Amino acid sequence: MPQVAAADWGVEGDAVRVVIVGASGTMGALVSEALTQRGADVLRAHRGSGVDAQSGAGLAQAVVGSDVVVDCLNITTQSAAKAKAFFGTAATNIAGAAEQAGARVVCLSICNAADPAVNRRMGYYQGKAAQEAAYAQRLGDRCTLVRTTQWFELAQTMTDQLSAGPVALMPHMVTAPLAASDGAAAIVDEVLEPSGRHAIEVRGPQEMDLVDVARAIRSAHGKGGWLIPIRFGGAALRNGALIPAHADVVTTTTLDQWLAASN
């Protein structure tokens, strides 16, 4: 693996130095680009660059000299054991590296994922709960969680993953979905203008079922066949428990606007 060194920082002077862990993922890439555009000195950290947050390899070296570490890590699993091991271990390692460097952490999370009523049948969300707990224990108020509702992009990803020929499945998930780019903007704001809060709750402009989002995406992309709604993950996902009771940020991009921009 290539090694990341402190000398890889590209901007001198007073620019905020930010390490993005998980920079190769959807949100990590968006945050990296947006921070760069706003003048931050960004180091993109991921396995391809020699940083493995779960094992800790290359992590401390990458974080040296940083002001903020942004955790945008992701894993594709619904196994609670795998998700908790991944997110909990990585958060502990990142927190330790950030402490050593004197940096604070901004972590991407999911609205209400730590609520047992929400995550009881969702192994991935249990992993996010373990991540939040690890940061709270290690860093306290030196970590801010930016919790978002589900992204429009999630509906597309899920139907792609749950497709067989002309048939696609989509779980009922009543939420207030948002464009991932709007979620990235909320993270960037927290990095550059820290609130000092434990958590920032971010939701989209309209409450809707992700089944309807998936149908709109398939229609906009000219996909035929059948989209079959399914019950998965428990009643909380279907009754609006994914929506924060009090949002700090309500994003503005509607589904129609996002579809128009993505076509």
Side-chain angles (χ1 to χ4, degrees):
M1 278 186 179
Q3 295 299 308
V4 176
D8 289 335
W9 292 110
V11 179
E12 300 296 332
D14 297 329
V16 176
R17 292 186 164 187
V18 187
V19 175
I20 313 294
V21 183
S24 61
T26 298
M27 185 59 76
L30 289 169
V31 171
S32 297
E33 182 61 28
L35 279 169
T36 300
Q37 290 178 355
R38 289 181 60 175
D41 188 358
V42 174
L43 185 65
R44 294 167 171 83
H46 49 83
R47 288 179 179 174
S49 70
V51 178
D52 187 325
Q54 187 175 20
S55 71
L59 184 60
Q61 184 183 18
V63 172
V64 168
S66 65
D67 300 304
V68 187
V69 181
V70 179
D71 181 348
C72 288
L73 287 170
N74 188 37
I75 184 174
T76 303
T77 184
Q78 274 304 327
S79 164
K82 289 182 180 178
K84 288 190 285 188
F86 175 79
F87 284 116
T89 301
T92 299
N93 290 338
I94 292 169
E99 277 185 311
Q100 189 173 5
R104 59 189 178 89
V105 172
V106 176
C107 175
L108 168 67
S109 193
I110 302 171
C111 293
N112 296 335
D115 181 349
V118 171
N119 70 34
R120 183 168 61 94
R121 296 182 181 177
M122 296 289 287
Y124 183 88
Y125 287 5
Q126 290 179 40
K128 296 299 287 184
Q131 180 187 50
E132 291 193 8
Y135 278 127
Q137 181 178 4
R138 288 295 301 268
L139 293 181
D141 60 7
R142 288 192 62 81
C143 176
T144 297
L145 305 167
V146 178
R147 299 179 177 133
T148 77
T149 49
Q150 288 63 37
W151 314 334
F152 297 137
E153 290 85 348
L154 175 64
Q156 183 170 354
T157 298
M158 291 184 75
T159 51
D160 288 344
Q161 292 174 342
L162 298 174
S163 294
V167 177
L169 306 179
M170 184 67 205
H172 282 292
M173 299 176 75
V174 176
T175 182
L178 51 79
S181 58
D182 285 348
I187 293 173
V188 169
D189 286 344
E190 182 60 30
V191 169
L192 299 180
E193 301 171 17
S195 65
R197 300 180 60 176
H198 168 66
I200 306 295
E201 307 284 343
V202 184
R203 56 157 288 177
Q206 301 167 293
E207 294 185 15
M208 56 200 316
D209 194 323
L210 281 191
V211 168
D212 296 321
V213 176
R215 284 188 173 126
I217 292 172
R218 288 174 66 85
S219 176
H221 292 174
K223 289 188 176 181
W226 299 271
L227 178 69
I228 301 175
I230 60 173
R231 294 191 171 202
F232 175 80
L237 272 66
R238 302 189 295 274
N239 67 17
L242 294 170
I243 303 171
H246 304 287
D248 301 293
V249 178
V250 178
T251 62
T252 58
T253 304
T254 65
L255 175 60
D256 288 343
Q257 290 170 335
W258 179 81
L259 287 170
S262 61
N263 284 340

